[in-house]
Short mmCIF file of all heavy atoms in Angstrom, two decimals:
data_model
loop_
_atom_site.label_atom_id
_atom_site.label_comp_id
_atom_site.label_asym_id
_atom_site.label_seq_id
_atom_site.Cartn_x
_atom_site.Cartn_y
_atom_site.Cartn_z
N GLN A 255 16.70 -29.30 -4.62
CA GLN A 255 15.96 -29.43 -3.36
C GLN A 255 15.17 -28.17 -3.03
O GLN A 255 14.10 -28.23 -2.42
CB GLN A 255 16.94 -29.73 -2.22
CG GLN A 255 16.28 -30.13 -0.91
CD GLN A 255 15.48 -31.42 -1.03
OE1 GLN A 255 15.81 -32.29 -1.82
NE2 GLN A 255 14.43 -31.53 -0.24
N ARG A 258 11.76 -28.38 -5.34
CA ARG A 258 10.88 -29.54 -5.41
C ARG A 258 9.76 -29.42 -4.39
O ARG A 258 9.93 -28.83 -3.31
CB ARG A 258 11.66 -30.85 -5.23
CG ARG A 258 12.23 -31.06 -3.86
CD ARG A 258 13.09 -32.33 -3.83
NE ARG A 258 12.35 -33.48 -4.29
CZ ARG A 258 12.92 -34.66 -4.60
NH1 ARG A 258 14.23 -34.80 -4.52
NH2 ARG A 258 12.18 -35.67 -4.98
N GLU A 259 8.61 -29.96 -4.75
CA GLU A 259 7.45 -29.90 -3.87
C GLU A 259 7.68 -30.77 -2.64
O GLU A 259 8.30 -31.82 -2.70
CB GLU A 259 6.21 -30.41 -4.61
CG GLU A 259 5.82 -29.55 -5.80
CD GLU A 259 4.73 -30.18 -6.62
OE1 GLU A 259 5.03 -31.08 -7.41
OE2 GLU A 259 3.57 -29.78 -6.46
N VAL A 260 7.19 -30.31 -1.51
CA VAL A 260 7.31 -31.05 -0.27
C VAL A 260 6.06 -31.89 -0.07
O VAL A 260 4.95 -31.41 -0.17
CB VAL A 260 7.49 -30.10 0.94
CG1 VAL A 260 7.57 -30.89 2.23
CG2 VAL A 260 8.74 -29.25 0.75
N GLY A 261 6.25 -33.17 0.17
CA GLY A 261 5.10 -34.06 0.37
C GLY A 261 5.54 -35.34 1.04
O GLY A 261 6.73 -35.63 1.18
N GLY A 262 4.56 -36.16 1.40
CA GLY A 262 4.86 -37.41 2.09
C GLY A 262 5.64 -38.38 1.24
O GLY A 262 6.45 -39.16 1.74
N ASP A 263 5.39 -38.37 -0.09
CA ASP A 263 6.10 -39.29 -0.97
C ASP A 263 7.19 -38.56 -1.75
O ASP A 263 7.51 -38.88 -2.88
CB ASP A 263 5.13 -39.98 -1.93
CG ASP A 263 4.43 -38.97 -2.86
OD1 ASP A 263 4.48 -37.78 -2.55
OD2 ASP A 263 3.86 -39.40 -3.89
N ASN A 264 7.78 -37.56 -1.08
CA ASN A 264 8.73 -36.67 -1.75
C ASN A 264 9.89 -37.40 -2.40
O ASN A 264 10.42 -36.97 -3.41
CB ASN A 264 9.28 -35.66 -0.74
CG ASN A 264 9.91 -34.47 -1.42
OD1 ASN A 264 9.49 -34.06 -2.47
ND2 ASN A 264 10.95 -33.93 -0.78
N TYR A 265 10.29 -38.53 -1.83
CA TYR A 265 11.45 -39.24 -2.34
C TYR A 265 11.09 -40.58 -2.96
O TYR A 265 11.92 -41.47 -3.06
CB TYR A 265 12.48 -39.43 -1.23
CG TYR A 265 12.99 -38.10 -0.70
CD1 TYR A 265 12.53 -37.59 0.50
CD2 TYR A 265 13.91 -37.36 -1.44
CE1 TYR A 265 13.00 -36.36 0.97
CE2 TYR A 265 14.36 -36.13 -0.98
CZ TYR A 265 13.91 -35.64 0.23
OH TYR A 265 14.35 -34.43 0.68
N SER A 266 9.85 -40.74 -3.38
CA SER A 266 9.46 -41.97 -4.06
C SER A 266 9.96 -41.93 -5.50
O SER A 266 10.20 -40.87 -6.07
CB SER A 266 7.94 -42.13 -4.05
OG SER A 266 7.33 -41.17 -4.89
N TYR A 267 10.10 -43.11 -6.11
CA TYR A 267 10.54 -43.19 -7.51
C TYR A 267 9.57 -42.41 -8.40
O TYR A 267 9.99 -41.65 -9.28
CB TYR A 267 10.60 -44.66 -7.94
CG TYR A 267 10.99 -44.83 -9.39
CD1 TYR A 267 12.31 -45.01 -9.76
CD2 TYR A 267 10.02 -44.81 -10.40
CE1 TYR A 267 12.68 -45.15 -11.09
CE2 TYR A 267 10.38 -44.94 -11.74
CZ TYR A 267 11.71 -45.12 -12.07
OH TYR A 267 12.05 -45.26 -13.40
N ALA A 268 8.26 -42.61 -8.17
CA ALA A 268 7.27 -41.96 -9.02
C ALA A 268 7.37 -40.45 -8.93
O ALA A 268 7.28 -39.74 -9.94
CB ALA A 268 5.86 -42.43 -8.63
N ASN A 269 7.58 -39.93 -7.71
CA ASN A 269 7.66 -38.48 -7.54
C ASN A 269 8.93 -37.93 -8.17
O ASN A 269 8.90 -36.89 -8.85
CB ASN A 269 7.62 -38.13 -6.06
CG ASN A 269 7.55 -36.63 -5.82
OD1 ASN A 269 8.57 -35.99 -5.62
ND2 ASN A 269 6.35 -36.08 -5.85
N ASP A 270 10.06 -38.61 -7.98
CA ASP A 270 11.31 -38.17 -8.58
C ASP A 270 11.21 -38.16 -10.10
O ASP A 270 11.66 -37.23 -10.77
CB ASP A 270 12.46 -39.08 -8.15
CG ASP A 270 12.95 -38.77 -6.74
OD1 ASP A 270 12.55 -37.72 -6.19
OD2 ASP A 270 13.73 -39.57 -6.19
N ILE A 273 9.02 -35.24 -11.33
CA ILE A 273 9.71 -33.95 -11.26
C ILE A 273 10.60 -33.76 -12.48
O ILE A 273 10.56 -32.73 -13.16
CB ILE A 273 10.55 -33.86 -9.97
CG1 ILE A 273 9.63 -33.66 -8.75
CG2 ILE A 273 11.56 -32.71 -10.05
CD1 ILE A 273 10.35 -33.79 -7.43
N GLY A 308 18.59 -39.50 -3.82
CA GLY A 308 17.23 -39.72 -4.30
C GLY A 308 17.11 -41.08 -4.97
O GLY A 308 18.04 -41.89 -4.95
N THR A 309 15.97 -41.33 -5.56
CA THR A 309 15.75 -42.61 -6.22
C THR A 309 16.30 -42.58 -7.64
O THR A 309 16.68 -41.53 -8.16
CB THR A 309 14.25 -42.94 -6.28
OG1 THR A 309 13.61 -42.09 -7.25
CG2 THR A 309 13.58 -42.74 -4.92
#
Side-chain angles (χ1 to χ4, degrees):
Q255 190 63 30
R258 68 185 305 167
E259 297 172 280
V260 178
D263 63 344
N264 197 33
Y265 298 103
S266 70
Y267 177 93
N269 187 265
D270 282 349
I273 287 171
T309 73

